Amino acid sequence: MKTLSLMTESSVGRMEEEEEDLVSGTFTWRIDNFSTLNMQKHYSDVFVIGGYKWQILIYPKGNNVVDYLSMFLDVADASTLPSGSTRYAKFSLTLVNQVDSKKSITKDVEHEFVANHNGWAWGFKSFVLLSELCDHGKGYLINDLCVVEVKVSVRNGLKILEDQETGELIDFRGLGRVVKTFVPFLEEVCSSYPSLLECHKKRSRTFIQCAFTALGRLLRFLNTTKAKDMTHDACKRLQLLWEELETFKFDLAWLEPHVQLVLVMKKRAGRVDRLREDVEILENEIKRRRDVLAAAEVDLEAAKRDLAKAEEEFKKIDMDTELGYPLT
């Protein structure tokens, strides 16, 4: 939570510089059929802000509180992060009023998320009374749709990077230290697109380091992944890497068409795979029906033979003979 303290002019200056280096983003979560949610807790899709993965977590019936909606910001990839990782963020959670936006309920907080310290999620157990949320006249629940919004501002991000970035760190053109394996890719693109080096020169060293790490991470993925390896999970990974990189405001006009082409290519490949599966299913169904038809034709021929034999025996009966009856 925010705390008040006395600050000298120099400390104010440092805080203003930190404010400039915040990477911010907003995510909106539209929750349909809110009244039918029967799980104790409910997560949004994963989204990327400041180069990191987040989720909104709600407890529709409250988290250890009665008659309240509980709402939190959660670190989406917490289980994969090393022990001791930290993530500092300023964020606000908003329950959107769909009739009058001025009546939306917003709550702000600053928090340093710490691995292995009572979980990662942080927010508000008593965000809003359920009676107020569910009062259709209030404007928070329209046609059983609830809209939640989060704005996140990240200053430092993780102090311990993800496991693919735990290699040797080296200086990159005096801008900051990045993973050694990223440097050849960064050198190549920065030589072709010098604006990448110019656009962040006035930002802090930490910000620049995070920005070029994100760029290097994406470039390495593109240069080490083959088209045949673009599985569904790989596509999701590429999408997250791209969204992560976009938050640093590089001029990526040269790269975006290629990334989008890869994603579209995979979608087309996925459609081809689905159509191929459809064809295979139909071919198997035709084969099955042909087998059934062949068996039916065998049965038909047997039935015809039985019929012919029965008709032949029937012809031997003298239809003009009196039926009569037996006498003892």
Side-chain angles (χ1 to χ4, degrees), residues 28 79 201 295:
T28 301
S79 62
K201 277 192 172 181

Side-chain angles (χ1 to χ4, degrees), residues 157-320:
L158 290 176
K159 293 176 183 171
I160 298 178
L161 299 175
E162 293 177 274
D163 54 1
Q164 77 264 29
E165 296 163 22
T166 55
E168 180 184 354
L169 298 178
I170 64 172
D171 182 76
F172 174 63
R173 297 199 178 193
L175 297 172
R177 293 170 64 79
V178 299
V179 179
K180 184 177 181 179
T181 56
F182 293 173
V183 172
F185 307 124
L186 292 172
E187 290 286 1
E188 183 179 37
V189 298
C190 288
S191 296
S192 299
Y193 306 98
S195 63
L196 294 170
L197 297 171
E198 299 295 328
C199 64
H200 289 323
K201 277 192 172 181
K202 295 182 180 180
R203 308 304 291 266
S204 73
R205 188 176 180 87
T206 298
F207 182 94
I208 295 172
Q209 202 163 271
C210 290
F212 279 97
T213 294
L215 178 57
R217 188 184 301 132
L218 176 66
L219 295 175
R220 185 178 66 175
F221 179 91
L222 292 172
N223 279 275
T224 58
T225 306
K226 297 179 180 179
K228 66 179 182 179
D229 297 326
M230 286 300 291
T231 62
H232 177 70
D233 288 341
C235 280
K236 288 180 65 176
R237 173 69 175 158
L238 176 58
Q239 185 68 49
L240 287 171
L241 290 175
W242 177 250
E243 292 173 359
E244 170 190 32
L245 184 57
E246 285 185 311
T247 63
F248 292 102
K249 307 300 181 183
F250 282 111
D251 179 3
L252 299 172
W254 57 277
L255 182 59
E256 182 174 10
H258 179 70
V259 172
Q260 297 305 324
L261 178 62
V262 173
L263 292 172
V264 169
M265 176 185 68
K266 183 55 186 177
K267 288 180 180 178
R268 290 175 179 172
R271 183 169 184 271
V272 170
D273 289 340
R274 290 192 297 273
L275 290 173
R276 186 178 289 114
E277 289 176 1
D278 291 344
V279 169
E280 185 177 349
I281 290 171
L282 290 172
E283 287 177 342
N284 290 335
E285 180 63 15
I286 289 174
K287 182 178 181 302
R288 185 188 69 81
R289 294 189 180 188
R290 283 174 177 167
D291 291 342
V292 171
L293 178 60
E297 287 177 342
V298 171
D299 291 342
L300 175 61
E301 291 302 318
K304 286 181 177 179
R305 289 193 296 271
D306 291 341
L307 174 61
K309 182 178 179 180
E311 286 178 337
E312 188 64 29
E313 292 175 351
F314 186 73
K315 288 179 181 178
K316 295 178 181 179
I317 299 175
D318 185 355
M319 301 301 292
D320 292 327

Side-chain angles (χ1 to χ4, degrees), residues 13-72:
R14 286 194 298 272
M15 287 195 67
E16 288 177 350
E17 182 179 348
E18 288 177 353
E19 288 288 334
E20 290 177 358
D21 287 333
L22 290 176
V23 179
S24 301
T26 302
F27 174 77
T28 301
W29 183 19
R30 298 172 61 85
I31 310 170
D32 293 308
N33 304 314
F34 182 85
S35 64
T36 65
L37 297 179
N38 53 18
M39 297 177 64
Q40 181 185 4
K41 55 185 178 180
H42 198 57
Y43 287 92
S44 71
D45 291 336
V46 175
F47 56 93
V48 177
I49 294 177
Y52 303 115
K53 302 172 188 176
W54 308 91
Q55 283 179 295
I56 302 173
L57 167 62
I58 65 168
Y59 290 77
K61 306 301 182 184
N63 178 29
N64 296 323
V65 292
V66 179
D67 299 330
Y68 278 92
L69 170 72
S70 301
M71 193 184 316
F72 305 89

